[in-house]
């Protein structure tokens, strides 16, 4: 039986569960673990699964769906176009559908605005296929019955302004890193004003520490609120995300935490305000993800922060309040 959690309505009219299970396992693959995780999630009431071609586990996610006993139409399924397939959107979608073993996906996202060559080398900013060209190819698949909604991921206001100016279809969602350390308030308001749902990946801030990044779930305010509700710090962060109007995609392989993560808390206005202020603490306004340190030149998959439209310095540190 599905868990009773809020749904959001996309600009396409489709309903999307506010909490989904994210299938990035930390590195491409992890198929059998992802399958087990999705089985458990569906068993305890999740009805939203978020995967991607680049996660390397679509086959296993599809197997978990087929063998779950949950009707396909009751599951909101998201997958994503990889960077090295920006020049062949239709073919890549068909490949994902084949791996998943489904006839359609509920949401198809452009995973990143950057495009790569077939052998996974970044194509310089502004060169074809641009994200606008790729988006137009995504618009063309909407009438095929293979996707119900299309959206983007990792897009800033700057990039979205270009996209909307040169395209005819407004993205249904924009999936970005989002949590109390990186609330992206301006982006959230901008998207809401245009009917774009902001979706949070890594809404728990990736528990653990990368290069000295602070621990969101260890923050005293988060811990205090969790204790007050007899809940986990993760539940606090996720409940904050949903109550502020974003959908959240936590990932956990632990059955107990999988169930906790979809058990939302009724946070008070005072608690919401406290959580919304965490990023204002010293050294807390930042990304908590490791991809900021993948390159020595401070680029993210070949683009600078300026080209991405991210107000950050190397390491994902936000320059000033957004």
């Amino acid at each position: 039986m599905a868990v009773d959690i809020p749904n959001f309505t996309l600009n396409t009219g489709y309903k999307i569960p506010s909490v989904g299970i994210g299938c990035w396992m930390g590195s491409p693959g992890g198929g059998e673990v992802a399958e087990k995780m999705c089985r458990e999630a569906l068993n305890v009431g999740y009805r939203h699964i978020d995967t991607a071609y680049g996660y390397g586990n679509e086959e296993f996610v599809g197997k978990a769906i087929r063998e779950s006993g949950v009707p396909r139409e009751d599951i909101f399924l998201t997958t994503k176009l990889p960077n090295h397939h920006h020049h062949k959107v239709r073919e890549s979608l068909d490949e994902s559908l084949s791996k998943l073993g489904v006839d359609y996906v509920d949401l198809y996202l452009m995973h990143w605005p950057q495009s790569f060559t077939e052998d996974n080398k970044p194509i310089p900013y502004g060169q074809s296929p641009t994200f606008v060209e790729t988006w137009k190819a995504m618009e063309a698949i909407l009438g095929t019955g293979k996707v119900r909604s299309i959206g983007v991921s990792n897009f800033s206001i700057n990039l979205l302004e270009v996209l909307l100016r040169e395209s005819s279809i407004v993205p249904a969602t924009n999936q970005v890193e989002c949590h109390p350390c990186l609330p992206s308030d301006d982006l959230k308001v901008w998207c809401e004003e245009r009917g774009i749902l902001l979706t949070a990946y890594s809404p728990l801030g990736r528990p653990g520490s990368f290069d000295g990044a602070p621990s969101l779930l260890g923050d005293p305010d988060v811990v205090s609120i969790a204790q007050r509700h007899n809940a986990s710090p993760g539940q606090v962060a996720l409940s904050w995300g949903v109550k502020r109007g974003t959908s959240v995609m936590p990932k956990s392989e632990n059955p107990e935490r999988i169930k906790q993560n979809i058990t939302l808390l009724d946070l008070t206005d005072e608690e919401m305000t406290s959580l919304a202020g965490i990023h204002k603490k010293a050294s807390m306004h930042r990304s908590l993800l490791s991809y900021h340190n993948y390159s020595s030149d401070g680029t993210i998959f070949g683009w600078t922060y300026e080209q991405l439209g991210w107000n950050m310095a190397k390491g994902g540190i936000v320059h000033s309040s957004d």
Side-chain angles (χ1 to χ4, degrees), residues 129-270:
T130 65
F131 63 85
V132 171
E133 291 171 338
T134 302
W135 181 252
K136 289 181 177 179
M138 291 180 66
E139 290 180 331
I141 62 174
L142 261 181
T144 63
K146 296 178 180 180
V147 297
R148 289 186 166 177
S149 303
I150 55 174
V152 295
S153 183
N154 298 298
F155 271 59
S156 63
I157 292 175
N158 291 358
L159 297 185
L160 286 167
E161 286 178 335
V162 172
L163 190 69
L164 266 60
R165 185 169 63 244
E166 301 191 29
S167 307
S168 58
I169 295 176
V170 176
T173 61
N174 180 24
Q175 186 176 128
V176 298
E177 179 191 358
C178 195
H179 43 69
C181 288
L182 193 65
S184 299
D185 293 320
D186 287 351
L187 176 63
K188 178 176 177 289
V189 170
W190 193 96
C191 286
E192 287 174 346
E193 289 174 347
R194 291 155 182 82
I196 302 170
L197 175 69
L198 198 67
T199 295
Y201 70 73
S202 299
L204 304 178
R206 289 279 176 86
S209 178
F210 291 103
D211 300 310
S215 169
L216 167 62
L217 301 187
D219 178 84
D221 288 333
V222 175
V223 172
S224 174
I225 293 170
Q227 291 173 342
R228 200 175 304 146
H229 287 267
N230 193 28
S232 70
Q235 286 174 272
V236 172
L238 297 172
S239 300
W240 171 83
V242 172
K243 189 164 184 175
R244 74 192 288 251
T246 60
S247 54
V248 296
M249 301 298 118
K251 170 258 172 185
S252 178
E253 301 165 30
N254 181 289
E256 183 179 352
R257 285 198 294 271
I258 288 173
K259 189 171 183 178
Q260 286 177 346
N261 287 346
I262 205 169
T263 306
L264 299 176
L265 311 175
D266 184 14
L267 299 176
T268 66
D269 291 343
E270 182 181 3

Side-chain angles (χ1 to χ4, degrees), residues 295-315:
S295 66
S296 59
D297 60 2
T299 58
I300 305 295
F301 304 129
W303 285 19
T304 65
Y305 288 110
E306 183 179 5
Q307 290 167 338
L308 282 163
W310 293 2
N311 185 33
M312 292 178 171
K314 190 176 188 303

Side-chain angles (χ1 to χ4, degrees), residues 53 80-96 108 115-119 129-130 133-135 137-138 141:
Y53 183 102
K80 308 177 189 76
L81 175 76
N83 298 35
H84 66 293
H85 284 180
H86 278 209
H87 65 294
K88 55 176 188 180
V89 171
R90 192 178 296 262
E91 294 86 346
S92 188
L93 171 62
D94 286 342
E95 191 173 342
S96 284
Y108 194 52
S115 57
F116 286 7
T117 62
E118 285 273 11
D119 56 351
T130 65
E133 291 171 338
T134 302
W135 181 252
M138 291 180 66
I141 62 174

